[in-house]
Structure formats: structure tokens, C-alpha cells
Amino acid sequence: MKLTIIGMSGSYPGPDSPASCYLVEQEHAGGVYRLLLDLGNGALGPLQRHVDLDKVDAVLLSHLHADHCIDLCGYYVVRKYALDAPWPRIPVYGPAGTADRMARAYDLPLDPGMHEEFDFRAFPTGTFSLGPFQIRTTMVEHPVPAYAMRLEAGGRSLVYSGDTGECRALVELADRADLFLCEASSVEGIELPPGLHLTGKQAGEHATSADVGRMVLTHIPPAIDTKQVFREAEETYTGELEVARPGAMYSL
């Protein structure tokens, strides 16, 4: 399994990174299956440095805040109006109501909305298959319906937290994951509403409780000191640790 960081900026794009977007690739059926975890503000452009847009096989949206989903609007335009369009529909998983929300975001009638370009599906209960991946989701702590995701393929596992506050369900989902891509949007001393985001310290605590093999900190807003986030996380997690950066690649 290969993970590429497309965007890791929290809440809005920063000067050095788009908002959340992660490309996951795995060999499958004689080729490569490619899916996106989130497609936030500014991500569609740099995504094209790593993959042709017609080669994306699926999109998984953790939740419907703009910094995680809004570039699906641009991707709709590409899939509908490219010179060799229309392209085949691809699955887009997300919370219930994703199709209507994205149609409204682009000022489309709900019927057909983006249904001719995307096969919208609500996250099911339990594990489901997508190409070579076995995927399991769980709802996490956030002001809107939000999901963390566990992807397994080739005997390896990747867990993506999405956006969350402190959450026991996330620890259970991440149990002994090979790589934990975890949000760390704040630092100690900044008072946040409960159930919104994790600090670096809290991210480290979740990783330690889950006994993950490696953690990559992500979703760090431009105004937050990434070095401080890292220092806080390494106080509570002693495993392999780093901060996500656009273009970074990880082989699992």
C-alpha cells in the first residue's frame, strides 16, 4: 500500500499546503487501484502531480466540511467536461446526504446533481470492499457527522482519523495499525470546544493506546506551530513519528 500526502493543512489551505487530501494506491487486478481520502480546498491542482485525474477509482469523504470535500466540485467539472468526457462514474463514499450537499455547493439541481459523474454511497455499517481494500469506518467526535477510516490490503493497515476530538472509537479502529494518519489541529493551552479537534499530546495518547506502528500528524492549521505539535506528540507517543508534508510518500 502506498500513501501520498496531497494536502495536510487544517481547516483551510495554507501557503505551503492545500487542505486535507491523501492518495492511497494498491496493486490490483494487474494494475493499480487509486482512491482519495478527502478532497479539500486547493487539493485538486497538486493532486495532478501524482496521478492523472481519470485514473482515480474512488473517493472517500470523511465529512462535509469544506476543507475535506469542496474540491469535489472541481473534480465534477473535470469528469463532466474533459475533452474525452464524460468519464465513467466512480464511487464517492461519505456521510448520508453527501450527494445533495455537493450539488448545492455547485448550485446544481439536486436531480441529476453530480449523480451522472459520481456514484454516491453512504458509509455502510461494518466492513466493505473497494478494489483491493477492506474498509471499516467509525463515527468520531466532531460537530457534524464525521468518520475515521481503516484501510487494509496486502496484509497492511492504514487508519485515517478524519477530524475528531478525543474519541475511544478512534482508538479501537486504530488498534495495532501499521500507519496512523492522525489529525493534530491544536496545542495545549488553546481552549477548543469539546469534540472538535485533537492536540498533538492527545494524538500521541490515542496512538499509544492503539499501539500503532507509526504515526503521521496531519490537519495542522497554518497558524499552529508544527514543531510544537510534534513535541507534544512525542511526549505521549514513543513510536515512529513525523509531521505530514505535501508530496511525502509512505510505503506500507
Side-chain angles (χ1 to χ4, degrees):
M1 198 187 311
K2 178 182 174 183
L3 166 69
T4 302
I5 309 296
I6 306 301
M8 52 71 62
S9 186
S11 301
Y12 57 96
D16 301 314
S17 177
S20 295
C21 183
Y22 312 93
L23 172 64
V24 185
E25 300 171 276
Q26 174 73 25
E27 292 182 359
H28 178 62
V32 177
Y33 193 95
R34 300 175 177 89
L35 61 79
L36 300 178
L37 305 178
D38 287 337
L39 191 52
N41 319 42
L44 191 64
L47 174 63
Q48 296 168 71
R49 299 174 191 153
H50 303 278
V51 62
D52 292 336
L53 293 182
D54 63 340
K55 298 299 190 294
V56 174
D57 295 291
V59 181
L60 280 63
L61 300 177
S62 64
H63 65 293
L64 298 180
H65 281 156
D67 60 316
H68 293 260
C69 71
I70 201 64
D71 268 25
L72 194 74
C73 290
Y75 195 30
Y76 152 79
V77 173
V78 174
R79 297 196 73 88
K80 185 176 182 68
Y81 295 111
L83 293 179
D84 56 348
W87 295 348
R89 295 167 79 219
I90 61 171
V92 174
Y93 283 85
T98 294
D100 287 358
R101 175 71 68 85
M102 299 315 301
R104 290 196 299 270
Y106 202 68
D107 198 25
L108 296 172
L110 300 187
D111 184 13
M114 299 181 182
H115 287 281
E116 294 175 352
E117 293 69 38
F118 302 120
D119 176 11
F120 288 98
R121 307 174 185 179
F123 284 123
T125 301
T127 301
F128 64 99
S129 298
L130 196 56
F133 298 100
Q134 294 295 305
I135 301 172
R136 182 159 52 97
T137 65
T138 190
M139 291 194 73
V140 289
E141 295 292 333
H142 206 53
V144 300
Y147 291 82
M149 311 170 197
R150 183 182 183 108
L151 282 64
E152 297 185 352
R156 307 293 281 175
S157 55
L158 164 67
V159 172
Y160 170 45
S161 69
D163 280 10
T164 183
E166 292 183 280
C167 183
R168 181 64 197 172
L170 176 60
V171 172
E172 294 171 355
L173 187 73
D175 183 45
R176 290 172 289 179
D178 293 298
L179 192 150
F180 186 27
L181 181 61
C182 186
E183 80 116 277
S185 303
S186 191
V187 294
E188 298 298 308
I190 296 178
E191 198 165 323
L192 294 176
L196 184 61
H197 289 299
L198 297 173
T199 64
K201 176 175 181 274
Q202 291 167 337
E205 291 169 344
H206 282 60
T208 296
S209 295
D211 192 24
V212 303
R214 174 167 47 166
M215 179 164 67
V216 177
L217 302 168
T218 193
H219 198 267
I220 303 173
I224 296 295
D225 184 352
T226 57
K227 292 180 180 179
Q228 185 176 350
V229 172
F230 180 88
R231 288 194 298 268
E232 289 187 2
E234 67 178 353
E235 291 175 2
T236 54
Y237 175 66
T238 58
E240 189 175 346
L241 175 69
E242 60 187 281
V243 174
R245 57 180 177 79
M249 300 179 186
Y250 303 88
S251 294
L252 284 72

